[in-house]
Amino acid sequence: MTDHAATGAAPITLLIVDDHPVVRDGLRGMFESAPGFRVLGEAPNGVEAVSLAAALDPDVILMDLRMPGGGGVDAIRELTRTGARAKVLVLTTYDTDSDTLPAIEAGATGYLLKDAPRDELFTGVRAAAEGRTVLSPAVASRLVSAVRAPGNEPLSTREREVLALVARGTSNREIARELFISEATVKTHLTHLYAKLGVNDRAAAVAAAYQRGILG
Amino acid sequence: MTDHAATGAAPITLLIVDDHPVVRDGLRGMFESAPGFRVLGEAPNGVEAVSLAAALDPDVILMDLRMPGGGGVDAIRELTRTGARAKVLVLTTYDTDSDTLPAIEAGATGYLLKDAPRDELFTGVRAAAEGRTVLSPAVASRLVSAVRAPGNEPLSTREREVLALVARGTSNREIARELFISEATVKTHLTHLYAKLGVNDRAAAVAAAYQRGILG
DNA sequence: ACGGACATCGGCCGATCGGCTGATGTCGCC
DNA sequence: GGCGACATCAGCCGATCGGCCGATGTCCGT
C-alpha cells in the first residue's frame, strides 16, 4: 500500500483522532493541502483509533486526549502494548494538561498544542514520523520538572494526613486547627504534595491519591 | 460491676475516644466532676476504642471522628456489627463535618460539637444512654436535607463528565471550553453534584466519586 | 396539561485557594 | 560539619471557587 515511489519521497500517512468533527476537518484540510502528507482516516475516540490504526497502519497518529468513549491515554497504551508501528503525536487543546506525563509515559512520541502555528504542526509530524520527540515549549518545561520527580515520590506522613483531610472536604483553615498547625503550614504541605503527585489543585491531588492507592 | 445502688441512680459509664490527650483530659475532668457519670477509660483511636469497649462495656462512648490509626466511623461500624451494648455519641471538633452521615449511618446515637456548653454535653450523654438521638442544631439541619437525598442519587451524564474533568485538575473555565458550555453551567452542574454526593467542594466530590466507584 | 429532572445561562460577592519568596529549626546521613 | 528531607511559619496577591438569586428550554412520564 504505502508505495514509496509517488511524490519523490513517500508521503507521511496520518490518522486523526479527535472527538470534535470540526477539529478533525480542520486538521484533515490542513494536511491534505500540504505536500508530503496523506490522511488515511479519522476516529472520534480512543477505542476506534486503536482498531483503525490496526487497519490503516498509518505512520503518525494525531491524537487528542480527553475524549468521551475511549480516552487518548488508554489508546496510546494499547497501541504501545500491541507493538503498533505508528508514532503517536498528542495534539491537545489547552496547555496545562494534567495528562502530559501519562501520555508520554504511555508511549506518545510528541506533545503539541492545537493552537501551534501550521509550520510547527508539519515539522512536528515529520519529526514524529522519524521517531524524534517533539514537545511544545510549555510541555517541555513541565517535563523537565517532572523528570526530576519520577512520579511516585512517596508522600511524607504529614502530607498524607493533610491530603486525607482534603479528601473529606476540609478547608485549609480547618485542617490547620485539626492538626494543631498554622494555615501557612498546611499550604506548604499542599504545595509539596502537589509537586510530588504532579497536580495543581486539591481535586486532582485527591484523584491522583486514589489512583495510587494512597487513599481509599 | 455496674451496680445500681450507688448514687441513688446508677451512674452512666463512659469511654472517651479522642486522639488529642488534651481533649481526653478535658472531657474526663468534666464528667468526673459531675454527678451521675463515671469515666471507665480512654482510647486514642478507633481500633483501641473497639477493644476497650469490649473490655469495659460502657453505657456511652464519646467518640471523635478523624483520628490517626483507626477512624471513628469504622469503629462505630465495628461496634454496631458486633452488637455492642454501648451507645456511641459522636463529639466532633468543628461543625460542617462531611462524616456526619457516615457516622449516623454506621450507628451513632448522636452527634454533638465539642464547643457545646457543658450542660448540653451532659444532657446529650444522658439522652444517648437512654437510646435517644441527640443532634446539635447544625447537624440536625444537615440531616434533614440529607434524608431528602438518600445518599446514592445517581449523577447525570453531564455531571459525570464535569466531575471527571474536575478530577484531572481542570478549572471551571477549562471545563466550560472543553464541553462547549459556559462557566456558569459548569458551576451549576457542580452545585448539583455536590448536593447529590453530600459534599461541599470539588476535592471531596472527587473522593466521594472514587469511593462510590464513579471514578477510577 | 402539568410537574419534575435535566441542561443551559447570567450576575453578584465573599471566602478560599494556590503561587511566590523567604525564613527557622530538627533530624539523620555521609 | 555540612547537606538534604521534613516540618514549621509569615505575608502578599491575583485567580478561582462556591453560594445565592433567578431564568429559559427540553424531554419524559402520568
Side-chain angles (χ1 to χ4, degrees):
Chain A
M1 281 178 204
T2 317
D3 193 332
H4 52 79
T7 328
I12 296 173
T13 55
L14 297 171
L15 173 60
I16 296 174
V17 188
D18 196 297
D19 56 326
H20 303 317
V22 183
V23 175
R24 291 203 301 271
D25 283 359
L27 289 172
R28 178 184 276 272
M30 183 179 300
F31 281 101
E32 285 190 335
S33 66
F37 300 105
R38 173 118 171 254
V39 178
L40 298 185
E42 305 175 5
N45 58 54
V47 176
E48 294 195 28
V50 172
S51 43
L52 261 189
L56 303 175
D57 190 38
D59 296 321
V60 175
I61 302 179
L62 292 176
M63 173 99 66
D64 188 21
L65 304 177
R66 304 190 181 185
M67 290 168 292
V73 174
D74 289 338
I76 298 172
R77 195 168 288 122
E78 180 66 10
L79 288 167
T80 308
R81 198 181 61 76
T82 58
R85 191 183 60 84
K87 307 292 184 185
V88 177
L89 185 55
V90 173
L91 248 191
T92 199
T93 312
Y94 299 103
D95 51 339
T96 39
D97 225 315
S98 59
D99 322 280
T100 313
L101 266 300
I104 301 280
E105 282 173 3
T109 297
Y111 203 111
L112 292 180
L113 303 182
K114 281 180 192 160
D115 59 8
R118 298 167 55 97
D119 289 346
E120 196 174 318
L121 285 183
F122 294 152
T123 308
V125 169
R126 288 196 202 92
E130 296 170 12
R132 286 188 288 115
T133 299
V134 205
L135 293 180
S136 71
V139 174
S141 67
R142 304 188 93 222
L143 263 191
V144 294
S145 63
V147 167
R148 216 178 312 147
N152 33 22
E153 283 246 48
L155 301 187
S156 72
T157 304
R158 213 45 164 169
E159 285 161 357
R160 265 181 278 111
E161 288 175 5
V162 170
L163 182 55
L165 289 172
V166 163
R168 306 184 107 117
T170 320
S171 74
N172 290 347
R173 186 169 309 163
E174 285 174 328
I175 294 171
R177 290 191 283 205
E178 198 82 23
L179 299 179
F180 294 112
I181 58 181
S182 87
E183 198 177 336
T185 306
V186 174
K187 293 171 79 171
T188 302
H189 289 314
L190 281 175
T191 302
H192 289 163
L193 70 86
Y194 289 165
K196 287 184 180 178
L197 295 175
V199 299
N200 303 299
D201 66 66
R202 45 183 59 215
V206 168
Y210 268 96
Q211 286 188 327
R212 299 192 192 187
I214 300 172
L215 286 175
Chain B
M1 277 178 203
T2 317
D3 193 332
H4 51 80
T7 329
I12 296 172
T13 55
L14 297 172
L15 172 60
I16 295 173
V17 187
D18 197 297
D19 56 326
H20 304 316
V22 183
V23 175
R24 291 203 300 272
D25 282 359
L27 288 172
R28 178 184 275 275
M30 183 180 301
F31 281 100
E32 284 189 333
S33 65
F37 300 106
R38 174 118 171 252
V39 179
L40 297 185
E42 304 174 6
N45 58 53
V47 175
E48 295 196 28
V50 172
S51 44
L52 261 188
L56 303 175
D57 189 38
D59 296 321
V60 175
I61 302 179
L62 290 177
M63 173 100 65
D64 189 20
L65 303 177
R66 303 188 181 185
M67 291 168 292
V73 175
D74 288 339
I76 298 173
R77 195 168 287 122
E78 180 66 11
L79 288 167
T80 308
R81 199 183 59 75
T82 57
R85 192 183 60 84
K87 307 290 182 184
V88 177
L89 185 55
V90 172
L91 248 192
T92 198
T93 313
Y94 299 103
D95 51 340
T96 39
D97 223 316
S98 60
D99 323 280
T100 313
L101 265 301
I104 301 282
E105 281 174 3
T109 298
Y111 203 109
L112 292 180
L113 303 182
K114 281 179 190 160
D115 58 9
R118 300 166 55 97
D119 288 346
E120 196 175 317
L121 285 183
F122 294 153
T123 308
V125 170
R126 288 195 201 94
E130 296 169 12
R132 285 188 288 116
T133 300
V134 205
L135 293 179
S136 71
V139 174
S141 68
R142 305 187 93 224
L143 263 190
V144 294
S145 62
V147 167
R148 215 178 315 149
N152 34 20
E153 282 248 48
L155 300 188
S156 73
T157 305
R158 213 46 164 170
E159 285 161 357
R160 263 180 280 114
E161 288 175 5
V162 170
L163 183 54
L165 289 172
V166 164
R168 303 184 110 115
T170 320
S171 74
N172 290 348
R173 185 170 307 164
E174 285 174 328
I175 293 171
R177 290 190 284 205
E178 197 84 21
L179 299 180
F180 294 115
I181 58 181
S182 87
E183 197 177 336
T185 306
V186 173
K187 292 172 80 171
T188 303
H189 289 315
L190 281 174
T191 302
H192 290 162
L193 70 85
Y194 289 165
K196 288 183 178 177
L197 294 176
V199 300
N200 303 299
D201 66 67
R202 44 183 60 214
V206 169
Y210 268 96
Q211 287 187 327
R212 300 191 192 188
I214 300 173
L215 288 174

